Amino acid sequence: MSPSKAVQTPGPRTTLRAGLPDRYLTPDDIAALFEVPLETVYQWRKKRIGPPGFRVGKHVRYDPAAVQRWAAERMADHIAA
């Protein structure tokens, strides 16, 4: 397959900006999105201070709409402070 015909998967930022999600995000996606270490994402989940996630079997997934709301709430809190 030539490079011009290769299927490109959108990154987490593109997925969030594009509107409705076409897939759920992984912890790796969340780490890339917020430019934090993966361990930080796991700590946020453990402390229940990060974006809301849910389990699919043993895997954690995040709804992009919920992540977007969580980020907007953090920004609103920061602006209000």
Side-chain angles (χ1 to χ4, degrees):
M1 181 183 279
S2 69
S4 62
K5 292 184 179 181
V7 176
Q8 293 190 3
T9 303
R13 288 184 183 163
T14 303
T15 301
L16 282 178
R17 291 184 183 141
L20 293 175
D22 59 348
R23 68 177 182 87
Y24 291 109
L25 302 173
T26 66
D28 287 325
D29 293 331
I30 299 299
L33 178 66
F34 293 107
E35 298 178 355
V36 298
L38 183 59
E39 186 58 34
T40 298
V41 175
Y42 291 132
Q43 288 299 314
W44 286 348
R45 182 161 168 79
K46 182 178 179 181
K47 295 176 183 178
R48 298 180 184 256
I49 60 173
F54 60 96
R55 286 204 167 274
V56 178
K58 66 178 183 174
H59 304 282
V60 176
R61 293 295 180 259
Y62 298 86
D63 182 343
V67 173
Q68 197 171 38
R69 283 191 303 275
W70 177 82
E73 289 168 3
R74 300 294 82 67
M75 287 188 282
D77 291 346
H78 180 72
I79 292 170

